Amino acid sequence: MNTTQFLRGFLATVLLATATHGQSCADFEVAAPGNFSGNTCGEVDDCGLQYDPDVSYSVTIPNDGLWTFSMCGSSDFDTYMAVGTTCCGTDVEVNDDFCGFDSQITAELTAGIYVVTITSYDDGCGDYVLNIREEPKVTRIDNSTKGSLLIYSQVDLRWDASGTLIQDTVLEMTNDLEQDVYVQFYFVNGDDPRDAISAGDPPQVIAEAEPGWNWTDLQLLLTGNQPVYWSASTGLPLGTAPFEILDPDNGNGPGRPTADGGRMLRGFIYAWTVDAYGYPIRWNHLSGSATVVNYATQTAWEYNAWSIQAYRDEDCNAHDSGSTGELNMDGKMYNLVHDMLLIDFYASGSRALSSDAVSVSVDMDLTLHPVSVDFRSNSFGPITTKAKFDIWNENERRFSGTERCITCWDQTLLSDYQAPNHFLIQNLQTDRGKARVDGIQSPACESGCVRRLGNIAGVNGLPGNDATVCSGDAALLGVVSKVLAFEGSSSRVARSGRSVVGMGTQEAFILHDIATSGSTPPPDLCCNTNCDDGNDCTIDTCEPAVGCLYELDDSPASCGDGNVCGAEQCDDGNSISGDGCSASCLFECPCFDAALIADFVGRCQDQEFLGDRGDCSLGHDSEDTGWICVSDGRVPICGGGSGTEPFSLALATTHGCVFNDFICTARDNIDSVPCISVSINAQEYEACRTLMHDAFSN
């Protein structure tokens, strides 16, 4: 810590060159984007937001877009910020603690002038840096870019009547960054739970109970630039848990029975990047795909995993270990998702792909599931929505009425949809068609409700005051595969698949438990625009551009290394006392070079109680009187430069002096004035800062 930095903080007059004073009601007029530093100490309460000193900026936003106003990691007090369209306005948004005790606001704005007001939440003041930036253009979820959250919409395992695996799903994932990253997985059983069925007298179980809509979570570490793959049936070669952990073999084989005497286990997988504590992080370097391989028919088809990019990390400061985490696909934390899905299809029963020699019949296998999901241990249950299909044929004739209730997950051939089924060629009347799919609330899907939204009032707009409501509006995702049946003496089946596309935007969410295992993250863990490696030091080794990886640093603190750690109050990179940070790295009343003090102040500030040195007490400097004000970390006593007492806050307050006051002494004696380092606590340090600022502002 050097003298210039110290005094600059006291004077609170150093701002970036882009700020100019005096724009109407605002203290400063600035143009975005940019960083604007300042200090609220010594200001007045103009707006009455928290009845503390405030500073306001008139900000010119140059274009429409998503704009962020952030003080994350830059302030030394508990900030409170408002953004509005008028003086002291709050009509855009207000925020107290977004990242620790610092404030941040992100809002969709049109080009124009906005007023940002910065104050303290609780009787404080201090330094800050206001960062104003435009966020990347909000994009929707897709399956062609890298992301921080991947969704594999279909995992499908099948066994024949003998228990032989006849279909597997092979999952692939790649981390294309040179750094390691943790990935949090959730495996979900997509089928509904079923009770055991008994018959006869005495009753005998003829169908065992089946788990459903259950999930399990696990975590793995991807190393830098690592591509991996694994079989859903075995978890190998990656060594992760097999998918059948969701419905293991209890004597009758894994999964549940099928109509042909075999067994099946189906569902989906969510995976997102996290730090070592389990908090989601912005990574945007994951990609993935899945290949469904049927060994009985010797066919296979592939689809790309849905990829969702993150704009910022989860606000982990809002959560304690063991509480609820929330991933919001709202265009601010993660990509928005689609409002509706678009499906191009061949009508079920179409023979458009036949040749003169071979007849080929077409069907489509459609998998759909709500994007939003609750993975908490006290989950409110799976989400139910009605998939409403608007269908057009090649002649642009529109058909409505086809619908399907979906709870958690659904995989069905289009030919098996209930009437009116406009996917059938006899109803569609052309070989090709298109459909728009929208997930909506409907009384038709209330039968057998397993989840009452009344239990989750206020979660992302879902109804919470009606315990009879089960279904709701929901964004959907899915994949579709084309099933080709080749007819003739050597009948065969072929498949091809893809993820469906979408239109419009809609919000979605994922609720999850914060892991309780391992170390609890420090309360000031910053997980937004800054990076913290998990220790309490000020120097971090991780890279904000790629996400925060928290690795605890157990090395002991070393005073003088420039890194504030452990019990250190400060660390200015040396082990010399008398410069504001003592040899033991504690705050102190520093000694300043007399010439620098004279240059910054231009006069003595001790005029009221050094009366015996009249010239000095009147504020005349050494050029006029031969006397000069110097600092030695002690409180002057009226009567001369040698009559001093050690610094104390009480004595300083009694005399009305300021932090690190000055002794009026002869210029010839300046070199002999002792520099005494006096350690003080943080409360005294802040009190001294305020007193010094007040004195310099006179």
Side-chain angles (χ1 to χ4, degrees), residues 535-670:
N535 57 56
D536 61 353
C537 303
T538 57
I539 296 178
D540 302 302
T541 58
C542 50
E543 299 182 24
V546 297
C548 295
L549 291 179
Y550 304 108
E551 299 177 357
L552 290 176
D553 183 0
D554 296 326
S555 59
S558 177
C559 182
D561 62 3
N563 198 10
V564 180
C565 294
E568 296 177 346
Q569 294 178 330
C570 57
D571 195 320
D572 55 3
N574 63 55
S575 54
I576 301 173
S577 295
D579 59 357
C581 186
S582 72
S584 56
C585 286
L586 300 176
F587 291 135
E588 64 176 357
C589 287
C591 295
F592 291 132
D593 181 87
L596 284 175
I597 291 178
D599 180 55
F600 271 96
V601 184
R603 56 190 173 92
C604 279
Q605 298 293 335
D606 57 351
Q607 55 242 34
E608 293 187 3
F609 53 93
L610 288 183
D612 290 350
R613 299 294 187 186
D615 290 332
C616 189
S617 67
L618 294 176
H620 299 157
D621 66 17
S622 60
E623 297 300 324
D624 298 321
T625 66
W627 300 92
I628 189 169
C629 293
V630 297
S631 165
D632 70 346
R634 299 180 294 175
V635 175
I637 301 301
C638 297
S642 60
T644 61
E645 294 182 10
F647 174 87
S648 74
L649 183 60
L651 183 58
T653 304
T654 301
H655 285 285
C657 71
V658 298
F659 171 44
N660 200 41
D661 215 305
F662 311 108
I663 296 174
C664 195
T665 185
R667 172 177 286 276
D668 293 340
N669 295 332
I670 186 170

Side-chain angles (χ1 to χ4, degrees), residues 142-202:
D142 67 26
N143 49 41
S144 61
T145 61
K146 298 171 291 185
S148 299
L149 166 62
L150 299 183
I151 299 176
Y152 299 83
S153 290
Q154 183 173 336
V155 177
D156 194 342
L157 305 181
R158 307 271 174 160
W159 296 264
D160 64 16
S162 67
T164 301
L165 180 73
I166 60 172
Q167 181 168 289
D168 198 356
T169 302
V170 179
L171 292 309
E172 299 100 25
M173 180 180 291
T174 299
N175 169 31
D176 80 335
L177 198 66
E178 294 180 354
Q179 296 185 23
D180 300 351
V181 66
Y182 291 99
V183 180
Q184 176 69 51
F185 285 87
Y186 280 86
F187 293 177
V188 186
N189 185 348
D191 285 312
D192 60 312
R194 295 180 181 177
D195 294 329
I197 300 176
S198 300
D201 187 15

Side-chain angles (χ1 to χ4, degrees), residues 310-370:
Y311 297 123
R312 62 175 174 82
D313 304 333
E314 184 178 46
D315 185 10
C316 56
N317 295 293
H319 308 300
D320 296 322
S321 180
S323 67
T324 296
E326 185 170 350
L327 282 67
N328 289 315
M329 285 155 271
D330 57 0
K332 299 179 182 179
M333 185 177 182
Y334 287 87
N335 288 141
L336 291 163
V337 296
H338 299 303
D339 181 40
M340 288 187 280
L341 298 181
L342 302 177
I343 303 172
D344 294 324
F345 64 93
Y346 282 96
S348 296
S350 169
R351 297 181 181 273
L353 302 182
S354 300
S355 71
D356 293 339
V358 179
S359 178
V360 181
S361 178
V362 182
D363 204 350
M364 307 291 288
D365 191 1
L366 179 62
T367 296
L368 295 173
H369 62 93

Side-chain angles (χ1 to χ4, degrees), residues 128-144:
Y128 63 85
V129 176
L130 172 63
N131 169 256
I132 305 176
R133 63 182 183 271
E134 183 178 11
E135 298 293 351
K137 183 179 180 181
V138 174
T139 58
R140 297 174 299 190
I141 180 177
D142 67 26
N143 49 41
S144 61

Side-chain angles (χ1 to χ4, degrees), residues 74-149:
S74 73
S75 68
D76 55 6
F77 64 106
D78 187 355
T79 64
Y80 186 91
M81 178 167 55
V83 177
T85 55
T86 60
C87 295
C88 304
T90 60
D91 52 306
V92 173
E93 196 172 336
V94 298
N95 180 259
D96 176 22
D97 298 334
F98 180 87
C99 38
F101 292 110
D102 292 335
S103 306
Q104 178 171 300
I105 291 173
T106 300
E108 192 77 36
L109 302 178
T110 57
I113 296 177
Y114 296 83
V115 178
V116 180
T117 305
I118 298 169
T119 186
S120 169
Y121 178 76
D122 187 17
D123 299 328
C125 66
D127 297 319
Y128 63 85
V129 176
L130 172 63
N131 169 256
I132 305 176
R133 63 182 183 271
E134 183 178 11
E135 298 293 351
K137 183 179 180 181
V138 174
T139 58
R140 297 174 299 190
I141 180 177
D142 67 26
N143 49 41
S144 61
T145 61
K146 298 171 291 185
S148 299
L149 166 62

